[in-house]
Amino acid sequence: MSSCGPSPIHSEKLKLDGIWDYDENLISTITVTDTLSNYDLALKMDHSSDFYFQNLYVRIETIFPDGKKISEPLSLQLATSKGQWNGKCSGESCKIVFSLQDNFKFKHQGDYQFKVGQFSRDEGLKGINEIELLLFEAASKE
């Protein structure tokens, strides 16, 4: 999944202007009608090249059409142990795409809500410019 790859069938952005406050969340609702196709879900992040941390903790909450909720913390590796950024950097900005779930099917039709929030110890996390939730049709089928 890159800028030269397939176009997402759903995309939702949260512009953060360099600080991601703990109470700011990306909320995206996807209306699902096709339960036979396979999908890939990804999170794209734009951060500053002087971001202080090697990784970033986020909490992803999913609300299913029947109202059931699941919430999971996730550590996103922004840099290697040697301090090299994993994403593509240009000037003061780095972009990276994290695969959240590959080649999956939605089990039920209806509205799925995804909520992504920062889950660090800092109330205002400096150096995060934008996050984007992306849904693609999967390239391969099971």
Side-chain angles (χ1 to χ4, degrees):
M1 284 174 268
S2 68
S3 60
C4 299
S7 296
I9 57 173
H10 178 86
S11 169
E12 191 84 36
K13 288 182 185 179
L14 176 63
K15 294 187 186 264
L16 297 162
D17 298 323
I19 297 178
W20 191 359
D21 289 326
Y22 200 82
D23 60 353
E24 280 185 284
N25 295 294
L26 168 63
I27 298 173
S28 181
T29 300
I30 299 172
T31 301
V32 174
T33 57
D34 182 356
T35 58
L36 300 177
S37 295
N38 291 29
Y39 299 94
D40 296 328
L41 187 65
L43 184 68
K44 183 177 181 180
M45 184 166 296
D46 178 339
H47 66 88
S48 70
S49 59
D50 61 355
F51 184 68
Y52 184 75
F53 301 101
Q54 181 179 334
N55 66 338
L56 171 65
Y57 285 93
V58 297
R59 179 174 294 280
I60 300 176
E61 180 178 275
T62 306
I63 303 173
F64 296 87
D66 64 1
K68 178 183 171 188
K69 294 181 187 181
I70 60 169
S71 182
E72 293 185 42
L74 183 64
S75 176
L76 306 175
Q77 283 303 124
L78 299 174
T80 66
S81 60
K82 298 184 189 257
Q84 295 291 102
W85 293 118
N86 288 326
K88 293 184 180 180
C89 298
S90 176
E92 296 179 0
S93 176
C94 298
K95 293 178 178 27
I96 186 168
V97 178
F98 297 97
S99 175
L100 298 177
Q101 191 169 3
D102 289 331
N103 207 30
F104 73 95
K105 289 182 173 147
F106 288 102
K107 291 185 180 180
H108 304 285
Q109 292 183 344
D111 290 340
Y112 289 76
Q113 187 178 79
F114 298 91
K115 182 173 155 183
V116 181
Q118 67 109 325
F119 196 55
S120 72
R121 294 182 202 131
D122 292 350
E123 178 65 30
L125 195 57
K126 294 180 183 175
I128 304 296
N129 303 316
E130 182 177 275
I131 58 172
E132 182 176 8
L133 190 72
L134 304 163
L135 181 70
F136 297 90
E137 284 188 28
S140 61
K141 303 286 180 191
E142 288 182 337

